[in-house]
Amino acid sequence: MDTRPNQTDKELALRRYFEIVNRPSAKTPVLLLIIGTLFVLNSLAHVSSSFGSEAKTAWFILLVGLGLAVAGVVQLSSIDQRYKQALAALQPQPPDTQIDAWFHESRDCLIMHAKNRLNLFGPESDLVNPLVIEVPTLDTSTYGISREDLSWHVGNDSVLRFSVHKFIIIYLTERHLAAYTCDYNFIRDISLNETTREYQYQDIVSVATYEWSSAFTLPTGQKLSTSQIFRLSVASGEYIEVRLDNDQLRKMTQLEEVPAIGADQAVTTIRALLRDRKGMAA
């Protein structure tokens, strides 16, 4: 866990919450215990019935087996102790409700920040709530975000939460579509890799969600979806795109579904607006 100085109490609490503690592998000590036990059982069968050099060999194997078994037990105990100490170091953890309250507060601040970055003032300041697409990420290539800040946590309420999100915040004004995108580090409460874009409605050629699928088909006949994409494209060839779901997240979290919020609503709303605008223009 990042222990750099001058972190706020909130950041430290979030780090404890999102810190992933994996139990060390017990493969080697278990193997030692099994081999040692087999040696002991095998040698006990020969100790009482052997004489001379055979008896000495049996006793030697017995001692070696005991040594291996004891080493396995000691290592297992050490692994368990280190794991419990690592978990204890993450206490106390904030409750799930506090994490959600902090995230919603940060999200609201980010929406206001997006509005300022897009210079939506004056008549634009009375806009309805923007469309917000928030997508969790564990992409280690995300510029400016360290690996240790890319994390997730399944709360006591069984809800999956992430420490880093990709945001697309879209304002639909009377005259144009204004979009703000960023990578948001919830732990450090900072937005990175920001972009702002404005498009006239007549220049938008498509807005959709679509999926990349592998060639593999499940026995049920369903396609194995590899990833789902949200994309808004304009006539110049420029586009805004975010990956909504992918195999990396599912494999790392061991969960079938990873939440992405707002994409379907954004597609429906923008499509309806474009139909109205282009219908009026016609």
Side-chain angles (χ1 to χ4, degrees):
M1 187 173 74
D2 188 347
T3 57
R4 73 182 193 283
N6 301 322
Q7 295 186 71
T8 64
D9 292 340
K10 175 182 173 182
E11 182 174 342
L12 289 171
L14 286 171
R15 290 197 181 281
R16 289 195 300 271
Y17 185 84
F18 282 109
E19 181 74 9
I20 297 176
V21 178
N22 295 315
R23 183 186 290 273
S25 174
K27 182 177 181 180
T28 298
V30 168
L31 187 61
L32 289 174
L33 183 57
I34 292 174
I35 293 174
T37 301
L38 291 175
F39 275 21
V40 169
L41 294 175
N42 182 65
S43 60
L44 285 175
H46 295 85
V47 165
S48 59
S49 60
S50 301
F51 300 94
S53 60
E54 289 185 1
K56 290 181 179 179
T57 301
W59 276 106
F60 176 76
I61 294 174
L62 175 62
L63 292 175
V64 170
L66 287 172
L68 292 174
V70 169
V73 170
V74 169
Q75 289 187 29
L76 283 173
S77 177
S78 176
I79 286 174
D80 187 61
Q81 184 178 5
R82 294 200 308 272
Y83 180 65
K84 289 180 178 178
Q85 288 175 344
L87 290 178
L90 300 181
Q91 302 302 321
Q93 289 198 352
D96 300 324
T97 52
Q98 180 64 75
I99 298 297
D100 290 341
W102 281 338
F103 185 77
H104 290 146
E105 178 184 341
S106 297
R107 183 179 182 273
D108 290 342
C109 290
L110 187 63
I111 290 173
M112 183 57 64
H113 173 68
K115 187 175 180 180
N116 292 333
R117 286 295 310 273
L118 291 166
N119 295 315
L120 297 176
F121 303 108
E124 308 286 11
S125 63
D126 296 327
L127 299 170
V128 296
N129 292 332
L131 302 172
V132 180
I133 301 173
E134 55 185 76
V135 183
T137 182
L138 294 172
D139 186 356
T140 56
S141 65
T142 305
Y143 183 75
I145 296 180
S146 64
R147 286 176 177 267
E148 62 185 7
D149 283 354
L150 290 163
S151 188
W152 75 92
H153 180 92
V154 178
N156 293 326
D157 55 3
S158 299
V159 174
L160 179 63
R161 296 172 177 84
F162 287 82
S163 58
V164 178
H165 294 253
K166 292 182 178 295
F167 271 89
I168 299 178
I169 300 174
I170 299 173
Y171 281 94
L172 303 174
T173 76
E174 285 298 320
R175 58 187 179 83
H176 73 307
L177 179 150
Y180 165 89
T181 66
C182 76
D183 296 308
Y184 177 68
N185 186 334
F186 179 34
I187 292 177
R188 300 188 64 178
D189 193 23
I190 56 174
S191 54
L192 302 166
N193 310 318
E194 297 177 314
T195 65
T196 57
R197 302 173 188 175
E198 294 184 355
Y199 302 124
Q200 299 300 316
Y201 290 121
Q202 64 268 24
D203 294 330
I204 300 174
V205 295
S206 71
V207 55
T209 58
Y210 61 95
E211 66 179 31
W212 292 104
S213 299
S214 68
F216 181 74
T217 302
L218 298 173
T220 59
Q222 292 179 305
K223 292 181 296 181
L224 183 60
S225 177
T226 301
S227 62
Q228 191 178 32
I229 308 288
F230 167 88
R231 176 182 281 190
L232 185 151
S233 304
V234 294
S236 65
E238 187 178 353
Y239 59 85
I240 299 173
E241 181 178 277
V242 65
R243 194 174 296 271
L244 303 176
D245 184 27
N246 58 56
D247 278 344
Q248 179 198 34
L249 293 181
R250 290 194 290 270
K251 288 176 181 177
M252 294 184 71
T253 61
Q254 298 298 305
L255 295 175
E256 289 297 323
E257 294 185 3
V258 178
I261 300 173
D264 291 338
Q265 179 187 355
V267 169
T268 301
T269 303
I270 297 172
R271 280 178 176 171
L273 178 63
L274 292 178
R275 283 197 295 268
D276 290 343
R277 293 286 175 146
K278 294 183 178 181
M280 292 172 59

